[in-house]
Amino acid sequence: MNNENKSNIHDFDFNLICEYFSLTERQGPGSREMTLKALNIIGAPGPNATIADLGCGTGSSALIIAETTKAQVIAVDIFDTFLQKVQQRAQTKGLNIHTLHASMDKLPFAPRSLDTIWCEGAIYNIGIESGLKIWSPLLKDEGHIAFTDATWLTEERPEEIENFWQEAYPQMGTIESNLKIIEEAGYRTIEWFVLPQECWTENFYEPQRAAQEVFLSRHRGNPTAEMLVENQRHEAEMYARYGQHYGYVFYIARKR
Ligand code: SAH
């Protein structure tokens, strides 16, 4: 039997996820202002600097970095559809961005070759601790990391939201626990800040509403597609109800 043209269920799911998120400009909470704020904290990189944006998605941060700095930007993701989108968007804006298909835990960069590692809304894929340890040797001495991650902001949380995140991201830390991980992984934190709520609402969940209509009309009657949209709607609803208990925190640190 020839199975070559058959995609297994995982490919199918990934394709759907990829298609869904290709319909939006960003794939995680954030904003132009917050990316620029983090860039300013690090300071202007020179023309010989290399910045890798790991888990770049369709390029929400890579495009801003390429537009506002002289650095060479390398946008890294495991989905070619996203990387193609980055290239399209870069071309439209007349920007030069390199794209690289690679997993953030198996990066082909030479030791001490990167000035900065950027990672908005993607480090959770491998966990902060292992991400920071794997990336440290790739950074030049005193190189920087700048990443965002979902973080608990309150000590006491309603059970419903505890359970939701326990299922979705059980390793989610507090600011305190994340700062400790950063120090122990060989970095010194320069600054951290909590992203404002509109980074989730206006910039992440609201654009998904229009995307959901397009996506559902394309995949009417497909239970996997419907489930995906249902999950995203549920996540947005959780944020509307319990968003004061967690948020994205931008962590900016220097390799020691
Ligand atoms: N940084 C973008 C996208 C965040 S969504 C933004 O803020 O809009 C998370 C991204 O991580 C997705 O694009 C996903 O394809 C990518 N990703 C998931 N696992 C990865 C891995 N192991 N290596 C590299 N990228 C990965």
Side-chain angles (χ1 to χ4, degrees):
M1 201 169 86
N2 181 0
N3 278 329
E4 266 178 28
N5 293 328
K6 277 192 186 167
S7 48
N8 68 33
I9 184 72
H10 299 292
D11 294 336
F12 179 62
D13 284 351
F14 278 139
N15 286 340
L16 274 182
I17 294 168
C18 212
E19 183 194 327
Y20 176 86
F21 278 107
S22 296
L23 294 167
T24 55
E25 280 191 13
R26 54 179 327 125
Q27 291 71 43
S31 73
R32 179 182 179 85
E33 291 70 30
M34 294 304 113
T35 299
L36 289 176
K37 182 171 173 178
L39 267 176
N40 273 334
I41 290 166
I42 290 174
N48 298 322
T50 304
I51 301 184
D53 178 18
L54 309 182
C56 62
T58 62
S60 52
S61 6
L63 288 157
I64 297 169
I65 301 169
E67 189 191 317
T68 58
T69 74
K70 294 190 172 73
Q72 170 67 66
V73 179
I74 307 174
V76 182
D77 207 282
I78 45 168
F79 286 128
D80 284 324
T81 315
F82 287 163
L83 295 174
Q84 283 158 14
K85 204 92 191 190
V86 175
Q87 280 303 352
Q88 276 169 15
R89 292 173 78 187
Q91 264 171 24
T92 309
K93 289 173 180 271
L95 299 170
N96 183 21
I97 295 180
H98 282 257
T99 49
L100 174 70
H101 180 128
S103 181
M104 59 175 82
D105 57 354
K106 290 186 198 71
L107 293 163
F109 300 119
R112 295 172 194 262
S113 62
L114 301 173
D115 292 82
T116 299
I117 289 180
W118 208 268
C119 188
E120 289 195 45
I123 197 170
Y124 70 87
N125 286 300
I126 58 170
I128 299 184
E129 199 169 348
S130 72
L132 295 184
K133 283 189 183 148
I134 294 169
W135 302 341
S136 174
L138 308 177
L139 282 173
K140 291 180 186 168
D141 290 342
E142 312 231 315
H144 292 92
I145 48 159
F147 69 95
T148 58
D149 200 33
T151 306
W152 289 118
L153 300 176
T154 52
E155 295 293 329
E156 304 269 317
R157 279 98 54 167
E159 203 180 339
E160 188 177 16
I161 197 62
E162 279 277 359
N163 292 342
F164 174 81
W165 281 109
Q166 185 55 37
E167 180 112 332
Y169 185 31
Q171 303 85 352
M172 186 156 120
T174 59
I175 293 171
E176 198 185 354
S177 68
N178 287 341
L179 293 177
K180 192 157 174 269
I181 291 175
I182 293 170
E183 284 295 319
E184 285 175 1
Y187 302 81
R188 178 141 302 137
T189 301
I190 302 174
E191 202 168 319
W192 58 267
F193 54 87
V194 180
L195 270 58
Q197 295 213 334
E198 63 266 21
C199 289
W200 294 73
T201 51
E202 272 170 47
N203 298 352
F204 185 51
Y205 292 131
E206 278 170 31
Q208 283 186 48
R209 284 200 218 152
Q212 285 162 0
E213 295 312 316
V214 175
F215 184 76
L216 285 176
S217 70
R218 279 188 201 163
H219 298 283
R220 215 166 286 289
N222 176 337
T224 315
E226 284 168 3
M227 207 166 73
L228 197 161
V229 170
E230 196 39 55
N231 281 348
Q232 288 308 118
R233 285 180 176 158
H234 181 60
E235 192 196 300
E237 197 188 312
M238 287 294 102
Y239 187 75
R241 250 193 271 164
Y242 301 115
Q244 72 274 28
H245 293 288
Y246 59 97
Y248 257 32
V249 176
F250 226 126
Y251 300 93
I252 298 123
R254 188 185 293 121
K255 181 177 169 179
R256 274 191 273 132

